[in-house]
Amino acid sequence: MTAYTILQTILTNRPAKIPVRRVHRKQAGTAVEELAASLVGRAAFVGFAVQHNPKGRTKMLALATVKEVLQIFVDGPPKVYPRDSPFEDLLSGNLYTLVGFDMGRLAVRIEIDLNYRVRGIDLSTAFRANAWDDPPLPSDVVKSRLFEGANPALVDSMWINEQGPPVMCLRAWLAACVAENNALTLQSAVRLDTDFLSSEESTFLAELVRQARVLDGAKPKETPGEFTKYQLCKDGKLKLQNARYKTRIQRGQVVIVTNTQGQEFSGVAHGSRGKTTYIHFIGQALSGYLAKVRVLRSPGLTSAEKARNELVLRAQQGLEDLYDSFFIQMLWFPTEEMQVSIIQNPVLILGSPFEGLNPSQEAVALKMISDCPLVVAHGPPGTGKTTTIAAAVSVWEEQRHPTWIVAHSNVAVKNMAEKLFEWEVDFRILVSKEFHFEWHEHLYEGIREKVLVSDQFLDIKDRVALSRLLGRSCIILSTLGMLSNPTLHQNGMFEVVPVGRLVVDEASQIKIEDFLHILHRFRHSLGKLCFFGDPKQRMVDV
């Protein structure tokens, strides 16, 4: 056992030095007993954080009180050591309440890597007014529930990539501080418990979490910000005009601004409209002339990532059951009967309703309009995947079957829309205002009448008004991110046009775990699922 001290500058109303004891996994039981001594007479919360290795598995973990941190090094497969019961009791919530940020993903991975039950509270969601609200960033929780003067950029930067033991220990310590400061509120918080999952579910979710971490770890920690012009406003904010959509600075992102003398100034993007972003400086504002901008990776998540993490958490809270979804069972937990039914499902259509398709296209299109619930089609560019989709969708439109068509990118969705337009299919394409305004209006020139920009439909609460906006169309196109937006559920979009049939184009470009929440959310309405993709355009192998 060794000891060292870490420095914290986040909570200026608390001691700057935090003692850390570093132990090997085999000493964890004894070390936990000693840690418990510092909880006598205090709220019984223990902060929890994890550091992962490059393969996404647990490398070490931190357990913290508001006074000290215990850093535990993990290596090799799960083992039970002598005098390990205090450590097991702590993880399972028998002694104290384990608390942490992003607890759902941490817990399911720990159960697999250490072979111990984990029970605790997720601080990322514990203080939300309702389950539909987006989980706040760690800085939002720290500022609203612990210390208003905390630097948001400094807090959130600790959740970007794996940054070493001191940062992991600080994450656990912050969790302990937040919990102790909100002890009464957390008494009624929903606990997560990995025992709610079957062994099959735990293994599956842990692997999805691991793959997501590996992919996240491959992303750069910072990227250069590209801009065409700037203006320093009278209120001290920096007004930037972004040069490219892909490198635009988005709300909530932390930026480092450098002037021509090499001086650096940190700030946070507080608002954006079209190509313009406003930077609010933390501390001193920019002086001199702007030379370059660097954008730090944000711990903020996409709508699809938020929905995925939410399902992982709620499954461990006993609020959702993965087996409720027929398609989740079919894809990840198939019974022998399911496998046989898919392989042997015949197409019993006499005479083809399609003209102009080659034999392979016609075979897939017939399969799509058959009773077979799952269709998977793949082929390289130019083989007519988009044409095949349009052919089948034209039949569904004629039969008034509600259908959603999604892809990873806005451009892929637009290409699909143009093909449907050629086939004279009545559809609507949902586009985010952020993508459309000042950036890509020109892409939709030929199908302008079919485009609905997000500010036209996201704020509508009246189902009648929403139906009027959509017209008679039962075919809706969007990105996977838009389909994952909880506002569409809240405003009744899926009551007006249920997700009865789902076609996923460019499926090989979407992470497999990003389908999970979609299949669960629409488990009661979804009857047909079709994947189209090019197997040579896969994402990174993990």
Side-chain angles (χ1 to χ4, degrees), residues 132-148:
W132 286 111
D133 291 342
D134 280 345
L137 293 173
S139 62
D140 296 327
V141 176
V142 171
K143 286 177 67 67
S144 64
R145 291 287 173 171
L146 183 59
F147 180 55
E148 189 176 355

Side-chain angles (χ1 to χ4, degrees), residues 476-535:
I476 307 295
L477 282 69
S478 78
T479 62
L480 180 67
M482 180 64 76
L483 183 62
S484 304
N485 192 322
T487 306
L488 293 184
H489 191 102
Q490 291 172 284
N491 73 2
M493 176 69 77
F494 303 124
E495 295 176 27
V496 178
V497 183
V499 183
R501 284 158 174 74
L502 179 62
V503 179
V504 183
D505 196 14
E506 289 194 344
S508 53
Q509 295 294 300
I510 303 175
K511 292 181 289 187
I512 186 65
E513 65 267 22
D514 285 345
F515 294 119
L516 185 66
H517 70 279
I518 294 293
L519 302 182
H520 187 270
R521 177 175 292 177
F522 303 113
R523 61 193 181 278
H524 298 305
S525 63
L526 186 59
K528 169 79 71 172
L529 178 61
C530 305
F531 290 116
F532 283 78
D534 180 351

Side-chain angles (χ1 to χ4, degrees), residues 154-227:
L154 188 59
V155 174
D156 290 335
S157 66
M158 296 194 305
W159 272 266
I160 300 174
N161 288 353
E162 303 290 345
Q163 300 181 52
V167 173
M168 174 193 67
C169 292
L170 280 176
R171 293 200 301 257
W173 177 77
L174 267 181
C177 292
V178 169
E180 185 176 83
N181 207 51
N182 297 273
L184 290 178
T185 302
L186 292 179
Q187 283 181 1
S188 58
V190 179
R191 264 69 171 168
L192 66 83
D193 188 340
T194 54
D195 269 8
F196 278 120
L197 303 176
S198 67
S199 175
E200 190 177 42
E201 287 174 303
S202 292
T203 301
F204 165 64
L205 291 179
E207 178 59 16
L208 291 187
V209 167
R210 187 193 70 79
Q211 291 184 17
R213 286 200 183 281
V214 173
L215 291 171
D216 288 343
K219 297 176 182 177
K221 292 184 179 181
E222 63 176 55
T223 55
E226 300 179 72
F227 60 95

Side-chain angles (χ1 to χ4, degrees), residues 199-437:
S199 175
E200 190 177 42
E201 287 174 303
S202 292
T203 301
F204 165 64
L205 291 179
E207 178 59 16
L208 291 187
V209 167
R210 187 193 70 79
Q211 291 184 17
R213 286 200 183 281
V214 173
L215 291 171
D216 288 343
K219 297 176 182 177
K221 292 184 179 181
E222 63 176 55
T223 55
E226 300 179 72
F227 60 95
T228 56
K229 60 182 179 180
Y230 74 93
Q231 177 187 347
L232 192 60
C233 304
K234 291 181 180 180
D235 59 2
K237 292 181 181 178
L238 179 65
K239 180 181 178 181
L240 277 180
Q241 182 167 305
N242 295 284
R244 299 174 60 219
Y245 179 78
K246 283 189 175 182
T247 61
R248 73 197 185 283
I249 301 172
Q250 302 176 62
R251 180 182 177 85
Q253 287 188 313
V254 178
V255 300
I256 305 297
V257 174
T258 307
N259 65 14
T260 51
Q261 269 94 43
Q263 294 175 296
E264 294 187 340
F265 309 84
S266 62
V268 178
H270 269 220
S272 61
R273 176 178 169 80
K275 296 183 179 181
T276 303
T277 299
Y278 290 90
I279 309 297
H280 183 273
F281 288 102
I282 302 167
Q284 184 181 354
L286 171 69
S287 61
Y289 295 99
L290 177 61
K292 64 179 181 179
V293 177
R294 291 162 23 232
V295 184
L296 303 186
R297 249 193 73 194
S298 170
L301 304 172
T302 65
S303 294
E305 290 168 337
K306 290 173 186 175
R308 174 201 67 201
N309 292 352
E310 187 82 20
L311 180 57
V312 171
L313 173 64
R314 288 175 64 83
Q316 294 175 82
Q317 291 173 330
L319 302 175
E320 305 290 356
D321 185 352
L322 298 184
Y323 294 110
D324 282 348
S325 166
F326 169 77
F327 285 103
I328 289 179
Q329 271 200 286
M330 177 179 287
L331 291 173
W332 287 290
F333 314 118
T335 63
E336 185 175 339
E337 182 180 356
M338 282 181 174
Q339 292 174 319
V340 170
S341 69
I342 292 298
I343 295 172
Q344 297 183 349
N345 191 293
V347 178
L348 301 176
I349 297 178
L350 299 177
S352 173
F354 306 115
E355 295 180 2
L357 300 186
N358 65 36
S360 63
Q361 293 169 342
E362 184 178 49
V364 174
L366 288 173
K367 197 77 167 179
M368 290 176 71
I369 65 173
S370 74
D371 293 333
C372 180
L374 177 65
V375 176
V376 179
H378 61 81
T383 51
K385 296 187 293 294
T386 304
T387 298
T388 303
I389 293 172
V393 171
S394 68
V395 173
W396 288 337
E397 185 213 4
E398 185 177 342
Q399 297 171 347
R400 303 298 302 163
H401 290 315
T403 301
W404 284 71
I405 305 172
V406 301
H408 176 66
S409 68
N410 284 283
V411 173
V413 175
K414 187 267 300 182
N415 291 340
M416 187 71 248
E418 290 176 339
K419 180 61 67 173
L420 291 179
F421 193 76
E422 290 177 15
W423 280 69
E424 299 183 350
V425 172
D426 183 20
F427 65 90
R428 294 294 181 271
I429 177 171
L430 309 184
V431 183
S432 72
K433 181 180 179 181
E434 183 181 31
F435 180 81
H436 187 266
F437 179 65

